[in-house]
Amino acid sequence: MATLVRLTKDQIDNLFKEAGEIENLFKDLHEELEGLRIPDSTLRRFAVLHGRYTSAIAYLERQRALGDE
């Protein structure tokens, strides 16, 4: 069952700002993990997680842009 949630423009702007901050944390953490000599398989799993997050946010940003047109 789908639920429709109406957010204000300010709420959406804040969510995208927070998503950008999380993206930067992912990047910082990836650099840190590279320096810890952890297994390559762990780095790859982290990279997949980071990539999926980035893709999801990019999709939402595209949808938002389409809604603004």
Side-chain angles (χ1 to χ4, degrees):
M1 177 183 216
T3 302
L4 179 63
V5 178
R6 297 195 187 275
L7 300 173
T8 66
K9 183 178 181 328
D10 286 342
Q11 288 172 317
I12 293 169
D13 290 343
N14 286 333
L15 287 171
F16 278 111
K17 179 182 176 195
E18 187 172 336
E21 292 169 359
I22 292 169
E23 176 70 25
N24 288 332
L25 291 171
F26 266 123
K27 290 176 185 177
D28 292 344
L29 184 56
H30 190 235
E31 288 178 15
E32 185 177 330
L33 291 173
E34 286 178 323
L36 294 178
R37 297 187 204 170
I38 62 172
D40 287 343
S41 61
T42 303
L43 276 177
R44 280 193 296 275
R45 285 192 348 255
F46 182 83
V48 167
L49 174 66
H50 182 193
R52 289 182 66 187
Y53 176 84
T54 301
S55 294
I57 295 302
Y59 173 80
L60 293 173
E61 288 174 337
R62 284 191 303 273
Q63 294 303 306
R64 181 182 186 202
L66 290 173
D68 288 343
E69 291 179 358

Coordinates of all heavy atoms in Angstrom, one line a residue:
M1 N 0.8 -1.2 0.0 CA 0.0 0.0 0.0 C 0.9 1.2 0.0 O 1.8 1.4 0.8 CB -0.9 0.0 1.2 CG -1.8 1.1 1.4 SD -2.7 1.0 2.9 CE -4.2 1.7 2.5
A2 N 0.6 2.1 -0.9 CA 1.5 3.3 -1.0 C 0.9 4.4 -0.1 O -0.3 4.5 0.0 CB 1.5 3.8 -2.5
T3 N 1.8 5.2 0.4 CA 1.4 6.4 1.2 C 1.9 7.6 0.5 O 3.1 7.7 0.1 CB 2.0 6.3 2.6 OG1 1.5 5.0 3.2 CG2 1.5 7.4 3.5
L4 N 1.0 8.6 0.4 CA 1.4 9.9 -0.2 C 1.8 10.8 1.0 O 1.0 11.1 1.9 CB 0.3 10.5 -1.0 CG 0.6 11.8 -1.7 CD1 1.7 11.7 -2.7 CD2 -0.7 12.3 -2.4
V5 N 3.0 11.4 0.9 CA 3.5 12.3 1.9 C 3.8 13.6 1.2 O 4.5 13.6 0.3 CB 4.7 11.8 2.6 CG1 5.3 12.8 3.6 CG2 4.5 10.4 3.3
R6 N 3.2 14.7 1.7 CA 3.5 16.0 1.1 C 4.5 16.7 1.9 O 4.3 16.9 3.1 CB 2.2 16.8 1.0 CG 1.1 16.1 0.1 CD 0.0 17.1 -0.2 NE -1.0 16.4 -1.0 CZ -1.0 16.2 -2.3 NH1 0.0 16.6 -3.0 NH2 -2.0 15.6 -2.9
L7 N 5.6 17.0 1.3 CA 6.6 17.8 1.9 C 6.7 19.2 1.4 O 6.4 19.4 0.2 CB 8.0 17.1 1.7 CG 8.1 15.7 2.2 CD1 9.5 15.1 1.7 CD2 8.0 15.6 3.7
T8 N 7.1 20.1 2.2 CA 7.3 21.5 1.7 C 8.6 21.6 0.9 O 9.4 20.7 1.0 CB 7.3 22.5 2.9 OG1 8.5 22.2 3.6 CG2 6.1 22.4 3.8
K9 N 8.7 22.6 0.1 CA 9.9 22.8 -0.6 C 11.1 22.9 0.3 O 12.2 22.3 0.0 CB 9.8 24.1 -1.5 CG 11.0 24.3 -2.4 CD 10.9 25.5 -3.2 CE 12.0 25.8 -4.2 NZ 13.3 25.4 -3.7
D10 N 10.9 23.6 1.4 CA 12.0 23.7 2.4 C 12.4 22.3 2.9 O 13.6 22.0 3.1 CB 11.7 24.6 3.5 CG 11.7 26.1 3.1 OD1 12.3 26.4 2.1 OD2 11.1 26.9 3.9
Q11 N 11.5 21.5 3.2 CA 11.7 20.1 3.7 C 12.5 19.3 2.7 O 13.5 18.6 3.0 CB 10.5 19.4 4.1 CG 9.8 19.9 5.4 CD 8.5 19.3 5.6 OE1 7.6 19.2 4.7 NE2 8.2 19.0 6.8
I12 N 12.1 19.4 1.4 CA 12.8 18.7 0.4 C 14.2 19.2 0.2 O 15.2 18.5 0.1 CB 12.0 18.8 -0.9 CG1 10.7 18.0 -0.8 CG2 12.8 18.3 -2.1 CD1 9.7 18.3 -1.9
D13 N 14.3 20.6 0.2 CA 15.7 21.2 0.1 C 16.6 20.7 1.2 O 17.8 20.3 1.0 CB 15.6 22.7 0.2 CG 15.0 23.3 -1.1 OD1 14.9 22.6 -2.1 OD2 14.6 24.5 -1.0
N14 N 16.1 20.6 2.4 CA 16.9 20.1 3.6 C 17.2 18.6 3.4 O 18.4 18.2 3.8 CB 16.1 20.3 4.9 CG 16.1 21.8 5.3 OD1 17.0 22.5 5.0 ND2 15.1 22.2 6.0
L15 N 16.3 17.8 2.9 CA 16.6 16.4 2.7 C 17.7 16.3 1.6 O 18.6 15.4 1.8 CB 15.4 15.7 2.2 CG 14.3 15.4 3.3 CD1 13.1 14.9 2.7 CD2 14.9 14.5 4.4
F16 N 17.7 17.1 0.6 CA 18.8 17.0 -0.4 C 20.1 17.5 0.1 O 21.2 17.0 -0.2 CB 18.4 17.7 -1.7 CG 17.5 16.8 -2.6 CD1 16.2 17.2 -2.8 CD2 18.0 15.7 -3.3 CE1 15.4 16.4 -3.6 CE2 17.2 14.9 -4.1 CZ 15.9 15.2 -4.3
K17 N 20.0 18.5 1.0 CA 21.2 19.0 1.6 C 21.9 17.9 2.5 O 23.1 17.7 2.4 CB 20.9 20.3 2.4 CG 22.1 20.8 3.1 CD 21.8 22.0 4.0 CE 23.0 22.5 4.7 NZ 22.7 23.4 5.8
E18 N 21.0 17.3 3.3 CA 21.5 16.2 4.1 C 22.0 15.0 3.3 O 23.1 14.4 3.6 CB 20.4 15.7 5.0 CG 20.9 14.7 6.0 CD 19.8 14.3 7.1 OE1 18.9 15.1 7.3 OE2 19.9 13.2 7.6
A19 N 21.4 14.7 2.2 CA 21.9 13.7 1.3 C 23.3 14.0 0.7 O 24.1 13.1 0.6 CB 20.9 13.5 0.1
G20 N 23.5 15.3 0.4 CA 24.8 15.7 0.0 C 25.9 15.5 1.0 O 27.0 15.1 0.8
E21 N 25.5 15.8 2.3 CA 26.4 15.6 3.4 C 26.7 14.2 3.6 O 27.9 13.8 3.9 CB 25.8 16.3 4.7 CG 25.7 17.8 4.6 CD 24.9 18.4 5.7 OE1 24.4 17.6 6.6 OE2 24.8 19.6 5.8
I22 N 25.7 13.3 3.5 CA 26.0 11.9 3.6 C 26.9 11.4 2.5 O 27.8 10.6 2.7 CB 24.6 11.1 3.6 CG1 23.8 11.4 4.9 CG2 24.8 9.6 3.5 CD1 22.4 11.0 4.9
E23 N 26.7 11.9 1.3 CA 27.6 11.5 0.2 C 29.0 11.9 0.5 O 29.9 11.1 0.2 CB 27.1 12.3 -1.1 CG 28.0 12.1 -2.3 CD 27.9 10.7 -2.9 OE1 26.9 10.0 -2.7 OE2 28.9 10.2 -3.5
N24 N 29.2 13.0 1.0 CA 30.6 13.4 1.4 C 31.2 12.5 2.5 O 32.4 12.2 2.5 CB 30.7 14.9 1.9 CG 30.5 15.8 0.7 OD1 30.8 15.5 -0.4 ND2 29.9 17.0 1.0
L25 N 30.3 12.1 3.4 CA 30.8 11.1 4.5 C 31.1 9.8 3.9 O 32.1 9.2 4.3 CB 29.7 11.0 5.5 CG 29.4 12.2 6.4 CD1 28.2 12.0 7.3 CD2 30.6 12.5 7.3
F26 N 30.4 9.3 2.9 CA 30.7 8.1 2.2 C 32.1 8.2 1.5 O 32.9 7.3 1.6 CB 29.7 7.8 1.1 CG 28.5 6.9 1.5 CD1 27.2 7.3 1.4 CD2 28.8 5.6 2.0 CE1 26.2 6.5 1.7 CE2 27.8 4.8 2.3 CZ 26.4 5.2 2.2
K27 N 32.3 9.3 0.9 CA 33.6 9.5 0.2 C 34.8 9.5 1.2 O 35.8 8.9 1.0 CB 33.6 10.8 -0.6 CG 32.7 10.8 -1.8 CD 32.7 12.1 -2.5 CE 31.7 12.1 -3.7 NZ 31.6 13.4 -4.3
D28 N 34.6 10.2 2.3 CA 35.6 10.3 3.4 C 35.9 8.9 4.0 O 37.0 8.5 4.2 CB 35.2 11.3 4.5 CG 35.2 12.7 4.0 OD1 35.8 13.0 2.9 OD2 34.6 13.5 4.7
L29 N 34.8 8.2 4.2 CA 34.9 6.9 4.8 C 35.6 5.9 3.8 O 36.5 5.1 4.2 CB 33.6 6.3 5.2 CG 33.6 5.0 5.9 CD1 34.5 5.0 7.2 CD2 32.2 4.6 6.3
H30 N 35.3 6.0 2.6 CA 36.0 5.2 1.6 C 37.5 5.4 1.6 O 38.3 4.5 1.5 CB 35.4 5.4 0.2 CG 35.8 4.4 -0.8 ND1 36.4 4.7 -2.0 CD2 35.8 3.0 -0.8 CE1 36.7 3.6 -2.7 NE2 36.3 2.6 -2.0
E31 N 37.9 6.7 1.6 CA 39.3 7.0 1.6 C 40.0 6.4 2.9 O 41.1 5.9 2.8 CB 39.5 8.5 1.6 CG 39.3 9.1 0.2 CD 39.4 10.6 0.2 OE1 40.0 11.2 1.2 OE2 38.9 11.3 -0.7
E32 N 39.3 6.5 4.0 CA 39.8 6.0 5.3 C 39.9 4.5 5.2 O 40.9 3.9 5.6 CB 38.9 6.4 6.4 CG 39.4 6.0 7.8 CD 38.5 6.5 8.9 OE1 37.8 7.5 8.7 OE2 38.4 5.8 9.9
L33 N 38.9 3.8 4.6 CA 39.0 2.3 4.5 C 40.1 1.9 3.6 O 40.7 0.8 3.9 CB 37.6 1.8 4.0 CG 36.5 1.9 5.0 CD1 35.2 1.5 4.3 CD2 36.7 1.1 6.3
E34 N 40.4 2.6 2.6 CA 41.5 2.3 1.7 C 42.8 2.2 2.4 O 43.7 1.4 2.1 CB 41.6 3.2 0.5 CG 40.5 3.0 -0.5 CD 40.5 4.0 -1.7 OE1 40.9 5.2 -1.4 OE2 40.2 3.6 -2.8
G35 N 43.0 3.1 3.4 CA 44.2 3.2 4.1 C 44.4 2.1 5.3 O 45.4 2.1 5.9
L36 N 43.3 1.3 5.5 CA 43.4 0.4 6.6 C 43.7 -1.0 6.2 O 43.7 -1.9 7.1 CB 42.0 0.4 7.3 CG 41.6 1.7 8.0 CD1 40.2 1.6 8.6 CD2 42.6 2.1 9.1
R37 N 44.1 -1.3 5.0 CA 44.4 -2.6 4.6 C 43.3 -3.6 4.8 O 43.6 -4.7 5.2 CB 45.7 -3.1 5.2 CG 46.9 -2.2 4.9 CD 48.1 -2.9 5.5 NE 49.2 -1.9 5.6 CZ 50.3 -2.2 6.3 NH1 50.5 -3.3 6.8 NH2 51.2 -1.2 6.4
I38 N 42.1 -3.2 4.6 CA 41.0 -4.2 4.7 C 40.9 -5.0 3.4 O 41.4 -4.5 2.4 CB 39.7 -3.5 5.1 CG1 39.2 -2.5 4.0 CG2 39.8 -2.8 6.4 CD1 37.9 -1.9 4.2
P39 N 40.2 -6.1 3.5 CA 40.2 -6.9 2.2 C 39.5 -6.2 1.1 O 38.6 -5.4 1.3 CB 39.3 -8.1 2.7 CG 39.4 -8.2 4.2 CD 39.6 -6.7 4.6
D40 N 40.0 -6.5 -0.1 CA 39.4 -5.9 -1.3 C 37.9 -6.1 -1.5 O 37.2 -5.3 -1.9 CB 40.1 -6.4 -2.6 CG 41.5 -5.8 -2.7 OD1 41.8 -4.8 -2.1 OD2 42.3 -6.3 -3.5
S41 N 37.5 -7.3 -1.0 CA 36.1 -7.6 -1.1 C 35.2 -6.7 -0.3 O 34.1 -6.3 -0.6 CB 35.8 -9.1 -0.7 OG 36.2 -9.3 0.6
T42 N 35.8 -6.3 0.9 CA 35.0 -5.4 1.7 C 35.0 -4.0 1.1 O 33.9 -3.3 1.1 CB 35.7 -5.3 3.1 OG1 35.8 -6.6 3.7 CG2 35.0 -4.3 4.1
L43 N 36.1 -3.6 0.5 CA 36.1 -2.3 -0.2 C 35.1 -2.3 -1.4 O 34.4 -1.3 -1.6 CB 37.5 -1.9 -0.7 CG 38.4 -1.3 0.3 CD1 39.8 -1.1 -0.4 CD2 37.9 0.0 0.8
R44 N 35.0 -3.4 -2.1 CA 34.1 -3.5 -3.2 C 32.6 -3.4 -2.7 O 31.8 -2.8 -3.3 CB 34.3 -4.8 -4.0 CG 35.5 -4.7 -5.0 CD 35.5 -5.8 -6.0 NE 35.7 -7.1 -5.3 CZ 36.9 -7.6 -5.0 NH1 38.0 -7.0 -5.3 NH2 37.0 -8.8 -4.4
R45 N 32.3 -4.1 -1.6 CA 31.0 -4.1 -1.1 C 30.6 -2.6 -0.6 O 29.5 -2.2 -0.8 CB 30.8 -5.0 0.1 CG 30.8 -6.5 -0.3 CD 30.3 -7.4 0.8 NE 30.3 -7.0 2.1 CZ 31.2 -7.3 3.1 NH1 32.3 -8.1 2.8 NH2 31.1 -6.9 4.3
F46 N 31.6 -2.0 0.0 CA 31.3 -0.6 0.4 C 31.1 0.3 -0.9 O 30.2 1.1 -0.9 CB 32.5 0.0 1.2 CG 32.2 1.4 1.7 CD1 31.5 1.6 2.8 CD2 32.7 2.5 0.9 CE1 31.3 2.9 3.2 CE2 32.5 3.8 1.4 CZ 31.7 4.0 2.5
A47 N 31.9 0.1 -1.9 CA 31.7 0.8 -3.1 C 30.4 0.6 -3.8 O 29.7 1.5 -4.3 CB 32.8 0.5 -4.1
V48 N 29.9 -0.6 -3.7 CA 28.5 -1.0 -4.2 C 27.5 -0.2 -3.4 O 26.6 0.4 -4.0 CB 28.3 -2.5 -4.2 CG1 26.8 -2.8 -4.5 CG2 29.2 -3.2 -5.3
L49 N 27.6 -0.3 -2.1 CA 26.7 0.5 -1.2 C 26.7 2.0 -1.6 O 25.6 2.6 -1.7 CB 27.0 0.2 0.2 CG 26.2 1.0 1.3 CD1 24.8 0.6 1.3 CD2 26.9 0.9 2.6
H50 N 27.9 2.5 -1.7 CA 28.0 4.0 -2.0 C 27.4 4.3 -3.4 O 26.6 5.2 -3.5 CB 29.5 4.3 -2.0 CG 29.7 5.8 -2.2 ND1 31.0 6.2 -2.5 CD2 28.9 6.9 -2.3 CE1 31.0 7.5 -2.7 NE2 29.7 7.9 -2.6
G51 N 27.7 3.4 -4.3 CA 27.1 3.6 -5.7 C 25.6 3.5 -5.7 O 24.9 4.3 -6.4
R52 N 25.0 2.6 -4.9 CA 23.6 2.5 -4.9 C 22.9 3.7 -4.3 O 21.9 4.2 -4.7 CB 23.2 1.2 -4.1 CG 23.5 -0.1 -4.9 CD 23.0 -1.3 -4.2 NE 21.6 -1.3 -4.1 CZ 20.9 -2.2 -3.4 NH1 21.6 -3.1 -2.7 NH2 19.6 -2.2 -3.4
Y53 N 23.6 4.2 -3.2 CA 23.1 5.4 -2.6 C 23.1 6.6 -3.5 O 22.1 7.3 -3.7 CB 23.9 5.7 -1.3 CG 23.5 7.0 -0.6 CD1 22.4 7.1 0.2 CD2 24.2 8.2 -0.9 CE1 22.1 8.3 0.8 CE2 23.8 9.4 -0.3 CZ 22.8 9.4 0.5 OH 22.4 10.6 1.1
T54 N 24.3 6.7 -4.2 CA 24.4 7.8 -5.1 C 23.4 7.8 -6.3 O 22.8 8.8 -6.7 CB 25.9 7.8 -5.7 OG1 26.8 7.9 -4.6 CG2 26.1 8.9 -6.7
S55 N 23.2 6.6 -6.8 CA 22.2 6.4 -7.9 C 20.8 6.7 -7.4 O 20.0 7.4 -8.2 CB 22.2 4.9 -8.4 OG 23.5 4.6 -9.0
A56 N 20.4 6.3 -6.2 CA 19.1 6.6 -5.7 C 18.9 8.1 -5.5 O 17.8 8.7 -5.9 CB 18.9 5.9 -4.4
I57 N 19.9 8.8 -5.0 CA 19.8 10.3 -4.8 C 19.7 11.0 -6.2 O 18.9 11.9 -6.4 CB 20.9 10.8 -4.0 CG1 20.8 10.2 -2.5 CG2 20.9 12.3 -3.9 CD1 19.5 10.5 -1.8
A58 N 20.5 10.5 -7.1 CA 20.5 11.1 -8.5 C 19.2 10.9 -9.1 O 18.6 11.8 -9.8 CB 21.6 10.5 -9.3
Y59 N 18.5 9.8 -9.0 CA 17.2 9.5 -9.5 C 16.2 10.5 -8.9 O 15.4 11.1 -9.6 CB 16.8 8.1 -9.2 CG 15.4 7.8 -9.6 CD1 15.0 7.5 -10.9 CD2 14.3 7.8 -8.6 CE1 13.7 7.3 -11.3 CE2 13.0 7.5 -9.0 CZ 12.7 7.3 -10.3 OH 11.4 7.1 -10.7
L60 N 16.2 10.6 -7.6 CA 15.3 11.6 -6.9 C 15.5 13.0 -7.4 O 14.6 13.8 -7.6 CB 15.5 11.5 -5.4 CG 15.0 10.2 -4.8 CD1 15.4 10.1 -3.3 CD2 13.5 10.0 -5.0
E61 N 16.8 13.4 -7.6 CA 17.1 14.7 -8.1 C 16.5 14.9 -9.5 O 16.0 16.0 -9.8 CB 18.6 15.0 -8.0 CG 19.1 15.2 -6.6 CD 20.6 15.3 -6.5 OE1 21.3 14.9 -7.4 OE2 21.1 15.9 -5.5
R62 N 16.7 13.9 -10.3 CA 16.1 14.0 -11.7 C 14.6 14.2 -11.7 O 14.0 15.0 -12.4 CB 16.5 12.8 -12.6 CG 17.9 12.8 -13.0 CD 18.2 11.8 -14.1 NE 17.9 10.4 -13.6 CZ 18.8 9.6 -13.0 NH1 20.0 10.1 -12.7 NH2 18.4 8.4 -12.6
Q63 N 14.0 13.4 -10.8 CA 12.5 13.5 -10.6 C 12.1 14.8 -10.2 O 11.1 15.4 -10.6 CB 12.0 12.4 -9.7 CG 12.2 11.0 -10.2 CD 11.5 10.8 -11.5 OE1 10.3 11.0 -11.7 NE2 12.3 10.3 -12.5
R64 N 12.8 15.4 -9.3 CA 12.6 16.7 -8.7 C 12.7 17.8 -9.8 O 11.8 18.6 -10.0 CB 13.5 17.1 -7.6 CG 13.3 18.4 -7.0 CD 14.3 18.7 -5.9 NE 14.0 19.9 -5.2 CZ 14.9 20.6 -4.5 NH1 16.1 20.1 -4.4 NH2 14.6 21.7 -3.9
A65 N 13.7 17.6 -10.7 CA 13.9 18.6 -11.8 C 12.8 18.5 -12.8 O 12.3 19.5 -13.3 CB 15.3 18.3 -12.4
L66 N 12.3 17.3 -13.0 CA 11.2 17.1 -14.0 C 9.9 17.8 -13.4 O 9.2 18.3 -14.2 CB 11.0 15.6 -14.2 CG 12.0 14.9 -15.1 CD1 11.7 13.4 -15.1 CD2 12.0 15.5 -16.5
G67 N 9.8 17.7 -12.1 CA 8.6 18.3 -11.5 C 8.7 19.8 -11.5 O 7.6 20.5 -11.4
D68 N 9.9 20.4 -11.6 CA 10.0 21.8 -11.6 C 9.8 22.4 -13.0 O 9.6 23.6 -13.1 CB 11.5 22.2 -11.1 CG 11.7 22.0 -9.6 OD1 10.7 21.9 -8.9 OD2 12.8 21.9 -9.2
E69 N 9.8 21.5 -14.0 CA 9.6 22.1 -15.4 C 8.2 22.5 -15.6 O 7.2 22.0 -15.1 CB 10.0 21.0 -16.4 CG 11.5 20.8 -16.3 CD 12.0 19.7 -17.3 OE1 11.1 19.1 -18.0 OE2 13.2 19.5 -17.4

